[in-house]
């Protein structure tokens, strides 16, 4: 199957971009992030899209970005935290190497500060993060070839664990 060598999924702030870049370096491949694709194509931040157009409009934009990146990119691909909410996007992940990077709420607090720059966490961030994860955890697990916990690990340790889980050798 053509498309990405590895696809990374997981919640906001888990380190998909950081680990994705490290994986790409180690594998001698390119790195792409669908959130970056959306920002570049729309000329505004994801938070601005949420505020201006709402979550439903953002998810439609995200779905197209995921479809395009899966079709075009051959390196390491990081997907936005909510991309797994779309059934069509999940179907496109079937039979691909997908790594779900997981973390608990305390790690999320430390990494993201759970601040207002995250549009879905603007009010009562800890509670909202838990609710998001309750809604998404099963979807991340559904699409995952491997699950790699990131709690208390450096990006380098997570990268090594992902390579080991997928039984991939560095370039």
């Amino acid at each position: 199957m053509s498309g990405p060598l590895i696809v990374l999924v997981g919640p906001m702030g888990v380190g998909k971009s950081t680990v994705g870049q490290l994986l790409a370096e180690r594998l001698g491949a390119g790195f792409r992030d669908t959130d970056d694709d959306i920002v570049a194509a729309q000329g505004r931040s994801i938070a601005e899209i949420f505020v201006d157009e709402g979550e439903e409009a953002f998810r439609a934009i995200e779905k197209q970005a995921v479809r395009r990146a899966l079709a075009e990119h051959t390196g390491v691909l990081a997907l936005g935290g909510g991309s797994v909410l779309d059934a069509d996007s999940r179907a496109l992940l079937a039979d691909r190497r997908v790594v779900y990077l997981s973390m608990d709420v305390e790690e999320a607090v430390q990494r993201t500060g759970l601040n207002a720059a995250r549009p879905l966490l603007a009010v009562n961030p800890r509670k909202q993060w838990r609710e998001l994860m309750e809604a998404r955890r099963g979807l991340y697990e559904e699409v995952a070839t491997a699950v790699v916990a990131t709690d208390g690990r450096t990006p380098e340790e997570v990268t090594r664990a992902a390579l080991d889980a997928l039984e991939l050798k560095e370039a």
Side-chain angles (χ1 to χ4, degrees):
M1 175 178 280
S2 64
L5 186 59
I6 300 173
V7 178
L8 299 176
V9 298
M12 59 190 88
V14 76
K16 295 180 300 283
S17 295
T18 301
V19 171
Q21 290 168 358
L22 288 170
L23 282 166
E25 287 172 21
R26 301 251 166 78
L27 295 168
F31 173 73
R32 185 168 173 176
D33 184 321
T34 56
D35 282 350
D36 293 342
D37 290 353
I38 292 167
V39 169
Q42 296 292 312
R44 57 196 167 141
S45 72
I46 289 170
E48 289 171 316
I49 298 168
F50 265 84
V51 169
D52 295 346
E53 299 181 41
E55 183 175 2
E56 188 176 331
F58 171 76
R59 295 295 172 209
I61 294 166
E62 181 177 55
K63 178 178 180 172
Q64 293 309 309
V66 168
R67 177 178 297 280
R68 191 174 313 110
L70 287 170
E72 296 172 357
H73 189 63
T74 58
V76 178
L77 177 65
L79 301 185
S83 60
V84 296
L85 295 170
D86 181 73
D88 293 336
S89 294
R90 289 195 310 275
L92 291 172
L93 293 172
D95 301 319
R96 296 184 187 271
R97 282 189 196 110
V98 179
V99 176
Y100 161 32
L101 299 180
S102 68
M103 69 179 168
D104 68 22
V105 70
E106 293 312 315
E107 189 86 3
V109 168
Q110 290 177 355
R111 291 191 192 180
T112 67
L114 295 181
N115 60 33
R118 308 285 185 168
L120 292 178
L121 301 177
V123 181
N124 195 346
R126 283 176 191 250
K127 178 177 182 273
Q128 288 179 301
W129 193 87
R130 282 191 183 95
E131 289 172 0
L132 280 175
M133 283 308 298
E134 285 173 22
R136 296 177 182 180
R137 185 175 291 109
L139 301 176
Y140 292 137
E141 291 170 350
E142 175 188 323
V143 300
T145 308
V147 178
V148 175
T150 64
D151 303 278
R153 287 174 146 172
T154 66
E156 292 77 14
E157 291 168 332
V158 173
T159 299
R160 168 60 33 218
L163 289 169
D164 289 347
L166 295 174
E167 299 178 356
L168 291 173
K169 302 274 187 253
E170 294 185 33

